[in-house]
């Protein structure tokens, strides 16, 4: 017996649509043990984003910013995808068009088997030289000090910092699949960071049925068609079970 009740409207929308778009934030990885940003005990509680996740901070103290990403990389290497990640990966099979947009940089959606992942904010497993943009994705990440490229440039994590543009194709694809879906899920995000937080609004303006899955209310809860208050690691497997009962594998 499902502990999560899905509304009649969502049931009908999921049965009628062949296109689903999902936006995930740090909350989806919380149950894997990856700290979120703005929850109590989250990453930003100790440091402010402007102190760390921006280019000026990196240039003023490269070792400090690099060591912070090292610390986060080590956390992410030790954690595993949780049932929420695996449920999203399996959901892909039941819709002709299923797009997963993530703000997360932890690589957990890929590790759970999701094939179509749009990484809006980059990926902590990748690095590049700020001068020649050469990639260093398999460097010895156990170092605490920043590394230099053979061209003399500093090597930085391939993540989007505050004040930096999101990758052009990722944002274009994310907007495209937010405009063209029957159901849009916004899962585990406080909806405070733009332009990612504009995507549920885009979906709503294009007549999608927009659903939020989060244990807490967010800045966007009022505009949602439906809010499912719960943890993604519990709600998503139940949603998958419902979809498996009502949709055939593509
Ligand atoms: C840009 C990568 C322009 C690095 C990150 C004023 C108003 C509006 C916008 C702005 C403004 N001033 C400045 C801006 C723009 C700024 C912005 O939005 N600032 C905000 C803070 C006001 N945005 C930018 O700077 C972006 N760039 O605008 O560039 C431009 C254009 C052209 C040319 C040049 C420039 C860049 C933004 C990207 C920044 N990078 N991360 C890193 O990770 O180190 S942001 C960071 O926040 C992460 O990516 C994270 O994903 C993202 C959003 O946070 P969430 O994922 O939502 O996480 P959070 O902790 O906030 O919330 C967790 C949620 O999970 C909670 O709701 C919680 O209840 C829930 N939860 C907890 N447990 C569970 C759960 N849910 C489900 N299940 C659970 N178990
Ligand atoms: Zn270089």
């Amino acid at each position: 017996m499902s502990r999560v009740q899905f509304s009649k409207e969502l049931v009908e929308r999921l049965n009628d649509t062949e296109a689903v778009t999902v936006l995930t934030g740090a909350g989806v990885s919380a149950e894997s043990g990856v700290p979120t940003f703005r929850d109590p005990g989250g990453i930003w509680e100790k440091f402010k984003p402007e102190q760390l996740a921006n280019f000026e901070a990196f240039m003023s103290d490269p070792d400090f910013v690099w060591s912070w990403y090292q610390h986060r990389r080590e956390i992410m290497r030790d954690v595993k995808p949780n049932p929420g990640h695996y449920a999203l990966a399996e959901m892909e099979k039941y819709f002709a068009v299923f797009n997963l947009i993530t703000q997360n940089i932890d690589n957990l959606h890929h590790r759970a088997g999701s094939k179509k992942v749009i990484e809006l904010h980059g990926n902590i497993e990748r690095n590049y030289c700020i001068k020649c943009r050469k990639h260093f994705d398999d460097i010895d990440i156990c170092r605490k000090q920043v590394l230099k490229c053979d061209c003399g440039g500093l090597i930085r994590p391939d993540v989007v910092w505050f004040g930096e543009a999101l990758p052009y194709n990722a944002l274009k694809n994310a907007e495209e699949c937010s405009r063209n879906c029957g159901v849009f899920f916004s899962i585990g995000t406080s909806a405070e960071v733009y332009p990612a937080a504009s995507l549920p609004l885009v979906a709503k303006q294009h007549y999608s049925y927009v659903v939020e899955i989060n244990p807490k209310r967010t800045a966007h809860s009022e505009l949602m068609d439906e809010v499912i208050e719960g943890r993604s690691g519990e709600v998503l497997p139940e949603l998958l079970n419902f979809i498996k009962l009502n949709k055939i594998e593509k």
Side-chain angles (χ1 to χ4, degrees), residues 35-37 42-54 57-58 61-76 105 124 143-145 157 159-162:
T36 64
F37 293 86
I43 286 177
W44 295 151
E45 200 171 57
K46 298 179 196 66
F47 300 103
K48 289 288 152 269
E50 43 282 0
Q51 281 174 293
L52 283 161
N54 72 65
F58 179 68
D61 191 342
D63 284 346
F64 177 56
V65 173
W66 177 264
S67 67
W68 180 58
Y69 279 93
Q70 271 317 88
H71 165 66
R72 289 175 65 194
R73 231 189 296 258
E74 282 149 17
I75 293 175
M76 289 170 190
I105 62 171
I124 201 166
R143 294 175 54 99
K144 287 286 180 224
Q145 284 74 33
V159 297
V160 180
W161 281 330
F162 286 99

Side-chain angles (χ1 to χ4, degrees), residues 36 55 80 98 110 116 118 136 147 195 217 220 235 244:
T36 64
F55 189 70
K80 292 191 177 31
F98 186 94
H110 283 114
K116 290 171 69 183
I118 300 172
F136 295 81
L147 284 163
R217 308 283 292 175
H220 277 178
V235 173
K244 287 166 100 168

Side-chain angles (χ1 to χ4, degrees), residues 149-213:
C149 169
D150 32 28
C151 82
L154 291 175
I155 296 172
R156 60 165 283 178
D158 185 9
V159 297
V160 180
W161 281 330
F162 286 99
E164 293 185 327
L166 275 58
Y168 175 78
N169 285 334
L171 185 55
K172 190 164 71 63
N173 294 342
E175 286 166 345
E176 171 74 17
C177 59
S178 300
R179 277 195 297 272
N180 297 293
C181 59
V183 179
F184 183 102
F185 288 100
S186 179
I187 310 172
T189 180
S190 62
E192 292 193 17
V193 175
Y194 285 80
S198 62
L199 296 172
L201 314 175
V202 169
K204 186 120 176 102
Q205 283 157 0
H206 289 78
Y207 312 107
S208 307
Y209 189 71
V210 185
V211 182
E212 179 175 74
I213 300 174

